[in-house]
Amino acid sequence: MSRRSGILEFAVLGLLRESPMHGYELRKRLNTSLGVFRAFSYGTLYPCLKTLVASGWLIEEPGAVGPADAPAPLTGRRAKIVYRLTAEGKEHFEDLLSQTGPDAYEDEHFAARFAFFGQTSRDVRMRVLEGRRSRLEERLEKMRLSFARTRERLDDYTLELQRHGMESVEREVRWLNELIESERAGRDQRRPGPGDAAQQDTSGETGGLPRNRDSTRPDPSDDTAT
């Protein structure tokens, strides 16, 4: 399975965990809610859905044609197929949510992971955020070294493009620093007591988000921020 298809499967499972949907609804949510999938097509989505059904993680159910439509047998219309997450699919998605390997820090995968932070435990969120920050700090250092070596040989417009790239990465690092500090503050404020084991934060509580977020924060799916 390619990295791209793996990200798409992860996102589809996450959206269907919220509620069952048919293909059109899924494509719309992927386009509008997860910017990393802005350019993908039905030709990409439906093979992914078939794979997930074959794996036992989704089931297909006939959906309603709509209250204003005539019954399907009279009009020739087919009811839309609704996709529903199975118990095995939910378990598989939760397993994917718990993974914090290097792929979770990469540009496209991080954007998808971040979109489902509300369903992710605080400890996993912290590991993903810290891993992403480390990855970007390494990238930023390489960009600065390259800029210092080549600035005398480049024209003004190429230099501006490189400077813009560095500023975008620097902005995302600052954003990640703020998120990490907020997550830490939230964790410190909610230390469970001896009788609170059943209420520990494993449900994806989003209390770690900064309270005063401005419009300059980078979109994790924005290509200029990676």
Side-chain angles (χ1 to χ4, degrees):
M1 180 174 60
S2 69
R3 177 179 295 176
R4 178 75 174 179
S5 63
I7 298 169
L8 179 57
E9 290 184 7
F10 172 84
V12 167
L13 292 172
L15 290 175
L16 291 176
R17 188 188 188 195
E18 298 173 3
S19 65
M21 299 181 208
H22 55 70
Y24 175 78
E25 290 175 312
L26 268 172
R27 183 172 184 265
K28 185 176 180 181
R29 287 290 306 278
L30 288 164
N31 280 328
T32 58
S33 302
L34 304 177
V36 67
F37 298 108
R38 289 187 187 111
F40 92 110
S41 65
Y42 284 114
T44 304
L45 175 60
Y46 283 106
C48 172
L49 290 170
K50 289 184 180 298
T51 297
L52 294 175
V53 170
S55 300
W57 297 328
L58 301 182
I59 57 173
E60 297 177 330
E61 300 176 338
V65 177
D69 294 335
L74 298 179
T75 64
R77 284 189 179 184
R78 292 185 302 171
K80 294 178 179 178
I81 298 297
V82 172
Y83 296 91
R84 183 184 299 275
L85 200 64
T86 64
E88 293 80 6
K90 181 178 180 181
E91 183 178 345
H92 178 61
F93 180 68
E94 290 173 350
D95 179 61
L96 293 176
L97 278 181
S98 69
Q99 296 178 12
T100 58
D103 280 354
Y105 318 147
E106 298 298 337
D107 299 344
E108 290 185 340
H109 208 152
F110 174 74
R113 288 298 302 267
F114 191 86
F116 294 101
F117 263 21
Q119 303 181 42
T120 307
S121 69
R122 191 187 302 275
D123 288 345
V124 171
R125 291 199 302 261
M126 281 289 291
R127 290 196 293 272
V128 173
L129 290 171
E130 290 173 340
R132 175 65 174 174
R133 180 177 63 180
S134 177
R135 182 64 51 85
L136 288 183
E137 287 173 341
E138 292 173 3
R139 183 184 301 175
L140 185 58
E141 182 62 23
K142 292 178 181 177
M143 294 173 75
R144 286 170 175 164
L145 290 173
S146 176
F147 184 78
R149 287 196 303 264
T150 60
R151 62 183 306 168
E152 300 299 329
R153 304 194 300 271
L154 300 178
D155 62 73
D156 291 343
Y157 295 101
T158 305
L159 285 173
E160 279 303 311
L161 185 61
Q162 290 195 0
R163 187 175 291 112
H164 171 70
M166 286 192 296
E167 290 174 351
S168 296
V169 177
E170 288 169 347
R171 185 168 62 249
E172 185 171 348
V173 170
R174 291 194 297 270
W175 173 68
L176 289 167
N177 284 337
E178 185 174 346
L179 287 173
I180 289 168
E181 288 306 311
S182 295
E183 291 285 352
R184 286 174 176 162
R187 182 173 61 186
D188 291 343
Q189 291 170 7
R190 198 177 180 280
R191 298 279 185 190
D196 295 338
Q199 300 181 17
Q200 288 184 17
D201 180 19
T202 58
S203 61
E205 176 188 335
T206 56
L209 283 174
R211 292 185 180 275
N212 298 313
R213 297 193 296 167
D214 58 50
S215 60
T216 62
R217 302 289 160 69
D219 179 349
S221 64
D222 186 352
D223 292 338
T224 63
T226 58

